[in-house]
Amino acid sequence: MNPADARARFRDGLVTPTAGWCDGYTQANLISVPRDRAWDFLLFAQRNPKPCPVLDVLDAGAVAGPILDGDVRTDVPLYRVYVDGEQVAEPTDVREWWREDLVSFLIGCSFTFERALGAAGVPVRHVEQGVNVPMYRTSWRCRPAGDVSGPLVVSMRYVPESLVATAVATTARYPAVHGSPVHVGDPRELGVADLDAPDYGDAVASEPGDVPVFWACGVTPQAAVVESRPPLAIAHAPGHMLITDARDEDYLI
Amino acid sequence: MNPADARARFRDGLVTPTAGWCDGYTQANLISVPRDRAWDFLLFAQRNPKPCPVLDVLDAGAVAGPILDGDVRTDVPLYRVYVDGEQVAEPTDVREWWREDLVSFLIGCSFTFERALGAAGVPVRHVEQGVNVPMYRTSWRCRPAGDVSGPLVVSMRYVPESLVATAVATTARYPAVHGSPVHVGDPRELGVADLDAPDYGDAVASEPGDVPVFWACGVTPQAAVVESRPPLAIAHAPGHMLITDARDEDYLI
């Protein structure tokens, strides 16, 4: 399926996590904040490139851009709306919340490298199991910028021990979409107590010999929104991404 | 020589291009603009990552940061000061021009990959000849951001034809410091008429069999300053870089 068709389905109301959709096209995290808070958010992203690799920033009020021939207000399957840092709605369309001073950030997503993992022979368990990838707020702190601060959020994929090196090497070639893992192994190093109770997304079943591998996650700006309390922020619901017209190969080193 | 010692010499008044200085330490382009123009400049950099790879952005008024245990106002060998887009001074110290609302951008510099070129057996002619690298304003336009627009500026290195592929492959591994070339061969493709008349830096002599190879250059923001006319901008003089405490290896993919 091509991105325009997928976005049309989501615009028509289909709600689903997007892992595995539109093979070869780049999926993005969305975070939109008012123009007068955008400097701190852009600087936060620049200072934390592993969780917040910026693919594009739209002009204030713009709903499309060079890598999106669509509409950020309607083309994501499910949104989260935050007012003063509190989630107030989880709609499928945010036109009623839209303001002309909103600046939208499109941030790289690890779904981009999942096709490469598969091609390298690394199983992607959450796709196999038909669930959303599990994500966790960690005890690691991002480098703050102005009023914006927050914890690192990570996504987790179980990887067979014999394939951990392959998974690291494969994803390292995609620095624009989180790149190599931030941690391999014991989740307690990240302050994560229970892998079966993710903060976002779904728990995934492991297989014997699997090791948990953690990548920086583009939900990190949402955790920063909760902590930094801008008057309004619009984001995708975790795992329900904006499918862009960019190609995964564009971000391969 | 370590970066702190080099910066101390420049602070004491030594004026010299910095190519070849402090082997293994990352050199940076500097551009400082008032806070109310910084959003457009940061967005311009984000939208033009080949010429403007951001290594760090200091908080407004800050003169040091995580990769610079020094002072951006004194530690560059030679500066250029622009008022309303016109160059008004070329001092060795900018403390008299400094304002507390200035935001400083440290932008990657191709000097970083010159050691890697040398290690790969690619001669670096301007270092051999003891002159500054030649730089050219091209007819290629950067993607604008708000009020900030301008041409792409490139640096040029003559490379023996048999080593062009090596030079491309080597520098592609350093995307944070301009990465692979933007053009190999005929300078007229870039709108550059005469390689012996660079817009910045010095002309370099070629050897038989050399091909001109062009990399995006961190002087690009200065060309944007000339076109976009912020009330004040402070930059390094081309080739006279800020030597940071970061290591080149930190930017290797």
Side-chain angles (χ1 to χ4, degrees):
Chain A
M1 189 179 305
N2 72 49
D5 290 342
R7 291 190 301 254
R9 291 210 201 180
F10 302 145
R11 202 155 53 234
D12 289 344
L14 177 65
V15 176
T16 175
T18 53
W21 278 65
C22 296
D23 230 22
Y25 287 94
T26 302
Q27 302 197 18
N29 298 271
L30 173 68
I31 183 87
S32 306
V33 296
R35 171 68 185 84
D36 61 1
R37 305 299 286 262
W39 166 259
D40 284 346
F41 271 89
L42 182 50
L43 203 50
F44 181 81
Q46 198 283 320
R47 289 178 177 178
N48 298 282
K50 288 282 271 192
C52 307
V54 177
L55 303 182
D56 199 18
V57 183
L58 306 186
D59 292 320
V63 299
I67 65 169
L68 177 70
D69 183 19
D71 189 324
V72 292
R73 302 169 303 173
T74 55
D75 293 2
V76 169
L78 193 65
Y79 295 86
R80 287 188 172 176
V81 177
Y82 298 87
V83 171
D84 297 329
E86 305 278 347
Q87 185 185 323
V88 297
E90 196 170 62
T92 61
D93 178 320
V94 293
R95 279 177 294 186
E96 67 175 295
W97 296 95
W98 191 255
R99 291 171 19 177
E100 285 307 307
D101 68 338
L102 286 176
V103 173
S104 295
F105 296 80
L106 309 190
I107 290 176
C109 169
S110 56
F111 290 174
T112 299
F113 59 55
E114 289 184 345
R115 188 171 71 144
L117 285 173
V122 179
V124 181
R125 302 261 181 252
H126 62 101
V127 174
E128 289 175 353
Q129 295 171 27
V131 298
N132 199 349
V133 67
M135 294 160 270
Y136 308 85
R137 272 189 296 271
T138 71
S139 60
W140 294 11
R141 299 292 297 173
C142 290
R143 189 177 152 208
D147 290 335
V148 180
S149 62
L152 174 69
V153 176
V154 295
S155 63
M156 188 280 289
R157 289 164 188 78
Y158 284 117
V159 175
E161 193 169 45
S162 62
L163 291 170
V164 166
T166 301
V168 173
T170 300
T171 57
R173 298 178 65 209
Y174 290 91
V177 292
H178 305 305
S180 55
V182 294
H183 181 61
V184 175
D186 189 349
R188 288 170 299 186
E189 281 290 315
L190 294 161
V192 173
D194 182 0
L195 290 179
D196 291 331
D199 296 301
Y200 313 92
D202 299 314
V204 164
S206 63
E207 303 208 357
D210 277 359
V211 174
V213 180
F214 301 88
W215 281 266
C217 177
V219 172
T220 298
Q222 293 193 48
V225 160
V226 169
E227 196 166 297
S228 310
R229 310 177 65 81
L232 176 66
I234 291 172
H236 67 291
H240 301 69
M241 315 308 292
L242 179 63
I243 301 181
T244 76
D245 299 297
R247 302 295 307 236
D248 292 349
E249 296 87 70
D250 298 342
Y251 301 107
L252 174 65
I253 299 287
Chain B
M1 190 179 307
N2 72 46
D5 290 341
R7 291 191 301 254
R9 291 212 200 177
F10 303 144
R11 202 155 52 234
D12 290 343
L14 177 64
V15 176
T16 176
T18 51
W21 279 65
C22 295
D23 229 22
Y25 287 94
T26 302
Q27 303 198 16
N29 298 273
L30 172 69
I31 183 86
S32 306
V33 296
R35 171 69 186 82
D36 62 2
R37 305 299 286 263
W39 166 259
D40 284 346
F41 272 89
L42 182 51
L43 203 49
F44 181 82
Q46 198 282 320
R47 290 179 176 177
N48 298 282
K50 287 282 272 194
C52 308
V54 177
L55 303 182
D56 200 17
V57 182
L58 306 186
D59 291 319
V63 299
I67 65 168
L68 176 70
D69 183 17
D71 189 324
V72 293
R73 302 170 304 175
T74 55
D75 293 1
V76 169
L78 193 64
Y79 295 86
R80 288 188 171 176
V81 178
Y82 297 87
V83 171
D84 296 330
E86 306 277 346
Q87 185 185 322
V88 297
E90 196 170 64
T92 60
D93 178 320
V94 293
R95 279 176 292 185
E96 67 173 299
W97 296 94
W98 191 254
R99 292 169 22 175
E100 285 307 307
D101 69 338
L102 286 177
V103 172
S104 295
F105 297 79
L106 310 189
I107 289 176
C109 169
S110 56
F111 291 174
T112 299
F113 58 54
E114 290 184 343
R115 189 171 69 145
L117 285 173
V122 179
V124 181
R125 302 261 182 251
H126 62 99
V127 174
E128 290 175 353
Q129 296 170 27
V131 297
N132 199 350
V133 68
M135 294 161 269
Y136 308 86
R137 273 190 297 272
T138 73
S139 59
W140 294 11
R141 299 291 298 173
C142 290
R143 189 177 152 207
D147 291 335
V148 180
S149 61
L152 174 70
V153 176
V154 294
S155 64
M156 189 279 289
R157 290 163 186 79
Y158 284 116
V159 176
E161 193 169 44
S162 62
L163 291 170
V164 166
T166 302
V168 174
T170 300
T171 57
R173 298 177 66 210
Y174 290 91
V177 291
H178 306 305
S180 56
V182 293
H183 182 61
V184 176
D186 190 347
R188 288 170 300 185
E189 282 289 314
L190 294 162
V192 173
D194 183 1
L195 290 179
D196 291 331
D199 295 301
Y200 313 92
D202 299 316
V204 166
S206 63
E207 303 209 359
D210 276 359
V211 174
V213 180
F214 301 89
W215 281 265
C217 177
V219 172
T220 298
Q222 292 192 49
V225 160
V226 169
E227 196 166 299
S228 311
R229 310 175 65 82
L232 176 65
I234 292 173
H236 67 289
H240 301 68
M241 315 309 291
L242 179 63
I243 302 180
T244 76
D245 299 296
R247 301 296 305 238
D248 292 349
E249 296 87 70
D250 298 341
Y251 301 108
L252 175 65
I253 299 288

